[in-house]
């Protein structure tokens, strides 16, 4: 499969426990997730490689991760400040969100 260097894709990597965003064949960033004891999907951390900063990739990554979580009927707990900010500004249809009382203990 041939991809453009600028083609952006987001995929869930269950083995690594994260959603990944690729630009072409290069991993540009990820959003970690963990399944908690209540079967909720906790998002503790999102990171974009500095080489890809300023392209809006974090927003695309979180948008697609939240859409996928909604499609899976997941309940999301946004511990990551970026995920929390995204969800407060961009409601996701069908996504159940449980707002944490305190930051995620990393």
């Amino acid at each position: 499969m041939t991809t453009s260097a600028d083609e952006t894709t987001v995929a869930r990597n269950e083995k690594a426990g994260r959603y990944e965003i690729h630009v072409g064949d290069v991993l540009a960033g990820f959003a970690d997730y963990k399944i908690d004891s209540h079967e909720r999907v906790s998002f503790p951390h999102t990171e974009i490689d500095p080489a890809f900063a300023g392209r809006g990739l974090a927003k695309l990554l979180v948008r697609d991760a939240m859409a996928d979580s909604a499609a899976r009927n997941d309940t999301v707990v946004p511990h990551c400040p970026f995920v929390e900010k995204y969800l407060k500004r961009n409601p996701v249809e069908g996504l159940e969100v449980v707002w944490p009382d305190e930051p995620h203990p990393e």
Side-chain angles (χ1 to χ4, degrees):
M1 179 172 151
T2 305
T3 61
S4 157
D6 291 332
E7 183 179 359
T8 303
T9 57
V10 175
R12 181 174 168 133
N13 181 337
E14 292 193 28
K15 187 173 183 178
R18 64 189 191 181
Y19 284 86
E20 299 175 341
I21 188 164
H22 288 82
V23 176
D25 293 332
V26 179
L27 177 64
F30 57 88
D32 287 327
Y33 69 85
K34 295 178 175 39
I35 309 299
D36 71 14
S37 61
H38 302 287
E39 297 299 314
R40 301 176 303 191
V41 182
S42 174
F43 283 85
H45 180 71
T46 301
E47 185 174 324
I48 298 296
D49 185 312
F52 294 94
R55 296 188 191 185
L57 296 181
K59 184 175 181 178
L60 294 174
L61 171 60
V62 172
R63 179 196 70 193
D64 288 3
M66 295 304 107
D68 185 64
S69 293
R72 293 170 180 270
N73 295 314
D74 290 336
T75 298
V76 167
V77 183
H79 288 287
C80 169
F82 189 88
V83 174
E84 179 182 355
K85 182 178 170 183
Y86 178 86
L87 288 172
K88 286 183 176 179
R89 292 183 178 176
N90 306 281
V92 177
E93 187 174 337
L95 183 65
E96 183 176 349
V97 178
V98 173
W99 300 101
D101 293 330
E102 54 190 59
H104 188 272
E106 288 193 52

